[in-house]
Amino acid sequence: MIAVLVAAVLFGTTGTAQALGPESTTPLGVGAARLIVGGAALAAVGLLLGSRRQRAGVARSGIRPGGGLRAFALMAATGVCLALYQPLFFLGTARNGVAVGTVIALGSAPVLAGLLEWALTRRRPTPSWIAATALATAGVALLAVAGGGSAGADGLGVLGSLGAGASFAVIANAQRRLISGGWDAFTVSGAMGAGAAVCGVAMVPFADMTWITEPRGWTMALWLGLATVALAYGLFTWGLGGLSAATAATLTLAEPLTASLLGVILLGERLAPLALLGLAVLTAALVLLAAASRSRRNPAPTPLEA
């Protein structure tokens, strides 16, 4: 849980980092840079550590991870979804602001992750998860309304944020199934990074990358890649080994808390009373989910062949 929460805090710096970057950036260009830098670093570290841990695990248990082509397809899907997440997320924040774009993307992810997990595993969400997610959704809704999301929100930006939330939901479920099938968490995150980096390179010819030569440009690219992709997704995937996909996705709602606070501290944004209420409700939901999760054992494995 701590690993996922730390990852969420790092995720929460994404919109602010973009806002502090050069004015000439575009969602596609920022997404490509983030994927190339972060994906390559995540692949290098994740696959190296994962291969060692995987061999040690097989030596101890004599059991090799299963799945075959299905496991490869799931790993490829995580890389593609991470690649899709980037321009969709930055499109949402560019058109509706950091606060609104972030809360829509992250607010939709837990609900979509829970529904997808229910459909794949036929395990109904627990009452505590439903209550915490409902409370968290109310909190992000208050944040969105306070940020102007209820009046004049850009439709294309909203669709971009919802698409980012759906991409994250697929990542969480695919990774959870891979880990349940015996794959090491670092191998899973490294494979996602490798796929994402390839997708990022493919984006470059279609993106304006002139901004990256500016000091603020390459500094932003390094932070977004190393901190919010390599470190954050490494922690998220590792923490996912002890949580369900739905619970992990709900815990990442610590990201809007971080984004809102950074918006106030670094960007000079002001929070209305309604936004403060939303932050309080969201915090209560995370506390409820954390307390409920501590009382349960790790979720039962879900074989890839299921």
Side-chain angles (χ1 to χ4, degrees):
M1 288 175 55
I2 293 174
V4 173
L5 286 172
V6 172
V9 170
L10 291 170
F11 291 150
T13 67
T14 302
T16 301
Q18 181 201 15
L20 293 175
E23 296 182 358
S24 58
T25 59
T26 63
L28 186 62
V30 174
R34 188 185 185 206
L35 288 172
I36 294 171
V37 175
L42 184 60
V45 176
L47 293 177
L48 178 61
L49 290 177
S51 62
R52 293 178 178 177
R53 287 163 53 94
Q54 198 81 63
R55 287 195 300 269
V58 172
R60 286 194 305 268
S61 64
I63 301 175
R64 294 185 176 276
L69 290 177
R70 182 171 295 186
F72 177 81
L74 288 173
M75 291 181 184
T78 61
V80 172
C81 285
L82 182 56
L84 289 173
Y85 181 93
Q86 311 309 311
L88 291 173
F89 177 84
F90 289 121
L91 175 64
T93 57
R95 299 184 74 95
N96 282 322
V98 172
V100 175
T102 298
V103 298
I104 293 175
L106 268 291
S108 63
V111 177
L112 295 173
L115 293 175
L116 182 56
E117 187 171 49
W118 187 4
L120 291 173
T121 66
R122 298 178 178 84
R123 289 200 305 266
R124 292 185 179 182
T126 63
S128 59
W129 178 85
I130 293 174
T133 301
L135 193 60
T137 301
V140 296
L142 289 172
L143 281 170
V145 171
S150 64
D154 181 82
L156 182 59
V158 170
L159 288 177
S161 296
L162 289 175
S167 298
F168 191 86
V170 172
I171 289 172
N173 275 279
Q175 289 190 330
R176 186 68 187 92
R177 289 175 70 81
L178 285 164
I179 293 171
S180 295
W183 289 92
D184 182 78
F186 287 101
T187 299
V188 172
S189 62
M192 178 178 69
V198 171
C199 292
V201 172
M203 292 179 183
V204 170
F206 307 97
D208 179 6
M209 304 297 294
T210 55
W211 53 269
I212 205 166
T213 59
E214 302 177 31
R216 284 196 302 166
W218 59 259
T219 301
M220 179 190 69
L222 287 176
W223 175 262
L224 289 177
L226 298 179
T228 72
V229 172
L231 181 57
Y233 277 101
L235 288 170
F236 175 81
T237 307
W238 181 63
L240 191 59
L243 301 168
S244 68
T247 297
T250 301
L251 286 172
T252 59
L253 286 176
E255 175 175 347
L257 289 173
T258 304
S260 298
L261 292 175
L262 289 177
V264 172
I265 297 170
L266 298 180
L267 301 181
E269 298 178 353
R270 299 183 62 181
L271 294 180
L274 194 60
L276 294 174
L277 177 60
L279 291 176
V281 171
L282 185 50
T283 301
L286 294 174
V287 171
L288 172 62
L289 184 65
S293 297
R294 288 190 62 184
S295 66
R296 298 194 304 272
R297 295 179 63 86
N298 290 352
T302 303
L304 290 176
E305 291 80 12

